[in-house]
Amino acid sequence: FPVTIGVSSCNIGDYINVLNYPSGFEVQDVNRAILTNTKFSLTNTQMESLILDTTIVGQNYGSPMMKDDGNVVGMLSYAITDTNDLTGGISSNLFSPVLDYFRTTYSGTTLTSYPLGYLGIYYSPINLVSASIFGLSNIEGYYVTGTDPSITPAKFDVNDILITVDGVRVGVLKDQYPLSTEIFQKTPGSSVTIQYRPAGNYSTVSTKTVTVASFTGSSTYEVNRYSRVPVFL
């Protein structure tokens, strides 16, 4: 039956079905699990993660996670079995805007890769610990930990805290989106308006309009946003 990829409306206790091909075998497998968490903190990063009560066989990452009505609410992304079994996926709230952007912008093209927006910064999320260090009253945004020397002049300074991208709140808590979700779908060469708290003056909010650069394979970049290492964007 047809499925849809939409905004996740999951609640803890909902049944989730995962369609996959375990370990690359040709026989399709279906797992049915109960949703146990919709906001899970993994390696110091909290995203809209959908945690299941059933361990899924390895090498199924990228498999759709759907409710009984056919609505795809997430994508299986990780499994941890070294200490406690843990299986989860990224909410469709995060990846569907990016899919919609590429599908709309590049429909009918024969491209095998797509240009990605790039700010040329290292960044790390504001969480309870970093908010305390910076003296912030709100847990929101990402702080700049370094800049790409190939992007000159630098668009932001180290320890600037980016909090919105074109009006969309970015961060790791409820109703905030990953910075990468918002920047990747910006066309290189386009302008983006970013609200941020300037380094050393976090009680104020400034606005800056910058031109998005183009990400290239030579740029130092870590795609795994669950990593403890600050990532480039």
Side-chain angles (χ1 to χ4, degrees):
F1 58 90
V3 300
T4 58
I5 300 178
V7 176
S8 172
S9 58
C10 293
N11 297 302
I12 293 176
D14 286 351
Y15 282 103
I16 301 295
N17 305 290
V18 181
L19 307 181
N20 45 58
Y21 290 87
S23 300
F25 296 135
E26 294 184 359
V27 178
Q28 189 177 52
D29 187 17
V30 179
N31 292 99
R32 186 168 173 82
I34 296 175
L35 185 66
T36 62
N37 199 325
T38 60
K39 283 284 187 180
F40 183 76
S41 180
L42 184 64
T43 62
N44 212 25
T45 298
Q46 187 170 4
M47 300 178 68
E48 288 195 61
S49 300
L50 307 179
I51 305 301
L52 306 178
D53 72 338
T54 300
T55 301
I56 308 298
V57 177
Q59 300 183 21
N60 281 312
Y61 312 121
S63 299
M65 304 168 66
M66 67 178 65
K67 298 179 69 174
D68 291 343
D69 60 5
N71 183 29
V72 176
V73 294
M75 180 187 302
L76 193 67
S77 303
Y78 52 82
I80 299 177
T81 58
D82 56 346
T83 53
N84 296 305
D85 288 341
L86 176 68
T87 302
I90 299 176
S91 168
S92 61
N93 289 334
L94 303 184
F95 63 76
S96 61
V98 179
L99 291 178
D100 290 342
Y101 165 74
F102 287 118
R103 183 171 55 222
T104 301
T105 306
Y106 301 105
S107 177
T109 67
T110 57
L111 294 176
T112 57
S113 62
Y114 304 100
L116 299 175
Y118 185 55
L119 289 181
I121 61 172
Y122 277 122
Y123 67 94
S124 191
I126 293 293
N127 53 30
L128 183 60
V129 174
S130 56
S132 177
I133 292 173
F134 287 121
L136 304 175
S137 58
N138 295 322
I139 300 177
E140 61 177 357
Y142 293 81
Y143 65 97
V144 179
T145 62
T147 59
D148 184 346
S150 69
I151 304 295
T152 55
K155 302 181 187 302
F156 292 95
D157 296 325
V158 172
N159 287 335
D160 282 351
I161 300 175
L162 283 57
I163 55 178
T164 72
V165 176
D166 284 342
V168 177
R169 297 176 66 228
V170 292
V172 294
L173 294 183
K174 181 176 176 60
D175 299 326
Q176 299 178 24
Y177 283 76
L179 190 56
S180 56
T181 301
E182 299 308 312
I183 298 301
F184 278 171
Q185 59 184 312
K186 304 299 181 184
T187 303
S190 64
S191 296
V192 59
T193 300
I194 295 178
Q195 285 186 317
Y196 69 104
R197 298 185 185 277
N201 192 16
Y202 298 125
S203 61
T204 64
V205 175
S206 299
T207 301
K208 180 184 293 188
T209 298
V210 299
T211 300
V212 177
S214 178
F215 171 75
T216 65
S218 61
S219 300
T220 302
Y221 181 77
E222 171 57 62
V223 71
N224 182 3
R225 284 172 295 284
Y226 292 111
S227 172
R228 287 184 183 273
V229 180
V231 296
F232 252 129
L233 182 63

